[in-house]
Amino acid sequence: MYLRDIMIEDLKKIEIEARAEITLLTEAAHFEEAKIKYLGRKGLLAAVSAQMSQVPSDKKREAGQELNRVKNAIESLFSDKQKTLGTFSAHAYKKIDASMPGTFYSPGTLHPLTQVIDEVIGIFRHLGFDLVEGPEAETEYYNFEALNIPLNHPARDSFDTFYLDSGRLLRSQTSPVQVRVMEKTKPPLKIIAPGKVYRPDATDATHSFMFHQIEGLMVDEGVSFAHLKGVLFAFAQEFFGKGTKLRFRPHFFPFTEPSAEIDIWSEARNSWLEVLGAGMVHPQVLKSVKIDSEKYTGFAFGMGVERLAMLKYGVEDIRHFFENDLRFLRQF
Ligand code: PHE
């Protein structure tokens, strides 16, 4: 083998070795050491270069070119490395200790209100109810008019809400979903519709300008108040436990007749707590969706999700649900 070939072989090996070594460099302390090893006055490239004088003159050019190419390549590897090492040390980079225990990220949990909504949905699905959703930015027609609450009726006050520039409003109840469903689906139908509702209430321990409701609706031939009672009773036994007591109080809603508010007995508070409104779907509402009220009857209810959660878990203040304090949330 000619010396020129040996030189070129050596240069290739040096280049490969340098590339590997420089790539693996993680500490500035070893950087200078490596640089001297390859590019120093007595370094590997200098040693190859010293053999140059012995290469026959017609091959000098080729060998010299290769030497320069490798030298330039290694120099630029070092200068690139210097830049990244600089950022490493700026971030107080430490060599990775693979034997150290890893960082533990605790998995999150579903928000307690989400858990309650899921549980309620599960119970009603077992009773054969379908899940539907409606828009939060609702029209005046669905939130009021179609629910038998005309503009001049005083019942508007109790369902007052926030009005958007678009002419829409933030729904103040999930009842508009009843109308949307009945417009599209003819009886028999059984649905529940969970979601956010809004009211211009001042915030305190039991009020929030935004809260959640779950609407229920069943329409068929021969549906009676007894069915409403049966369904709500079954729900309460499942959700709060066997033996849970319910109380139906006569009430007024423009979209149901007769109407009731339903309380659940709380052992912890030693008192009744109102958790839902309900009643038989008003013939006027059926008329607005062109369902024959002589043939079909139905019941509807709307429950307050925060109220259910407060009662079930003994939460004293509704604001806890919205403050995102992990000490509170982690308990669920
Ligand atoms: N929408 C009523 C409310 O928000 C509750 C309700 C729903 C009452 C369905 C009767 C029937 O207070």
Side-chain angles (χ1 to χ4, degrees):
M1 224 200 256
Y2 294 113
L3 182 58
R4 173 204 55 167
D5 297 328
I6 295 173
M7 258 184 72
I8 287 173
E9 277 297 297
D10 284 351
L11 284 170
K12 283 214 175 86
K13 277 189 210 146
I14 291 169
E15 189 184 2
I16 291 166
E17 194 187 320
R19 208 173 274 282
E21 190 170 338
I22 296 165
T23 306
L24 293 175
L25 275 178
T26 53
E27 277 170 71
H30 298 142
F31 180 87
E32 281 309 316
E33 224 172 86
K35 202 168 172 183
I36 291 165
K37 172 175 163 192
Y38 291 98
L39 302 172
R41 210 161 37 83
K42 292 180 180 164
L44 292 174
L45 286 182
V48 176
S49 163
Q51 299 171 328
M52 201 62 154
S53 57
Q54 294 160 45
V55 174
S57 53
D58 61 326
K59 305 290 182 199
K60 268 204 168 70
R61 204 179 125 86
E62 199 190 332
Q65 271 173 357
E66 185 61 7
L67 180 68
N68 274 332
R69 191 191 63 75
V70 172
K71 192 168 168 227
N72 287 337
I74 294 178
E75 272 170 354
S76 80
L77 284 172
F78 274 113
S79 76
D80 288 350
K81 191 71 193 191
Q82 193 158 33
K83 284 177 209 141
T84 51
L85 274 185
T87 43
F88 279 157
S89 52
H91 288 117
Y93 177 83
K94 294 214 181 67
K95 204 170 158 187
I96 291 165
D97 178 355
S99 71
M100 248 169 76
T103 312
F104 179 72
Y105 295 98
S106 59
T109 53
L110 292 175
H111 191 278
L113 294 178
T114 309
Q115 292 183 35
V116 166
I117 291 170
D118 286 352
E119 191 181 343
V120 174
I121 291 171
I123 294 170
F124 280 101
R125 293 199 89 137
H126 274 120
L127 295 172
F129 286 72
D130 293 323
L131 180 63
V132 296
E133 278 185 313
E136 285 171 35
E138 192 46 286
T139 64
E140 204 261 316
Y141 175 75
Y142 288 108
N143 197 69
F144 294 115
E145 214 73 32
L147 288 167
N148 197 26
I149 320 175
L151 189 56
N152 54 8
H153 197 286
R156 281 240 173 169
D157 276 0
S158 44
F159 296 106
D160 202 12
T161 181
F162 300 96
Y163 294 82
L164 306 174
D165 290 341
S166 62
R168 289 201 171 220
L169 46 81
L170 296 178
R171 66 178 177 193
S172 49
Q173 44 182 345
T174 44
S175 300
V177 186
Q178 290 183 33
V179 180
R180 287 180 174 274
V181 167
M182 288 191 285
E183 274 181 346
K184 292 222 176 74
T185 320
K186 293 304 151 200
L189 56 90
K190 278 158 97 180
I191 57 103
I192 48 163
K196 294 190 178 72
V197 300
Y198 302 82
R199 294 193 191 166
D201 286 344
T203 304
D204 64 22
T206 51
H207 292 86
S208 167
F209 58 87
M210 183 281 296
F211 57 98
H212 297 75
Q213 284 186 336
I214 298 176
E215 192 79 9
L217 172 71
M218 174 174 178
V219 185
D220 199 351
E221 287 180 52
V223 173
S224 74
F225 205 93
H227 295 115
L228 170 64
K229 270 184 117 171
V231 163
L232 291 179
F233 184 81
F235 163 74
Q237 305 310 301
E238 194 65 32
F239 186 79
F240 291 109
K242 291 253 170 318
T244 299
K245 281 186 264 174
L246 299 181
R247 179 172 77 174
F248 286 66
R249 269 184 296 108
H251 194 72
F252 170 77
F253 294 109
F255 36 92
T256 46
E257 179 62 32
S259 305
E261 275 187 338
I262 291 120
D263 305 330
I264 300 259
W265 177 256
S266 161
E267 279 306 333
R269 291 163 197 256
N270 200 36
S271 68
W272 293 101
L273 198 81
E274 183 212 322
V275 291
L276 57 106
M280 299 306 291
V281 180
H282 197 291
Q284 192 60 39
V285 176
L286 293 175
K287 199 173 154 200
S288 74
V289 292
K290 300 190 175 63
I291 290 179
D292 181 358
S293 62
E294 292 297 323
K295 186 171 178 200
Y296 294 105
T297 50
F299 66 73
F301 58 84
M303 44 181 115
V305 174
E306 284 76 3
R307 287 280 174 90
L308 292 178
M310 288 168 86
L311 204 58
K312 182 158 178 156
Y313 298 116
V315 176
E316 296 295 333
D317 194 317
I318 195 170
R319 288 168 290 199
H320 287 313
F321 291 118
F322 308 119
E323 282 167 351
N324 284 337
D325 186 333
L326 288 177
R327 290 168 302 179
F328 173 75
L329 296 174
R330 283 209 176 103
Q331 297 177 72
F332 298 92

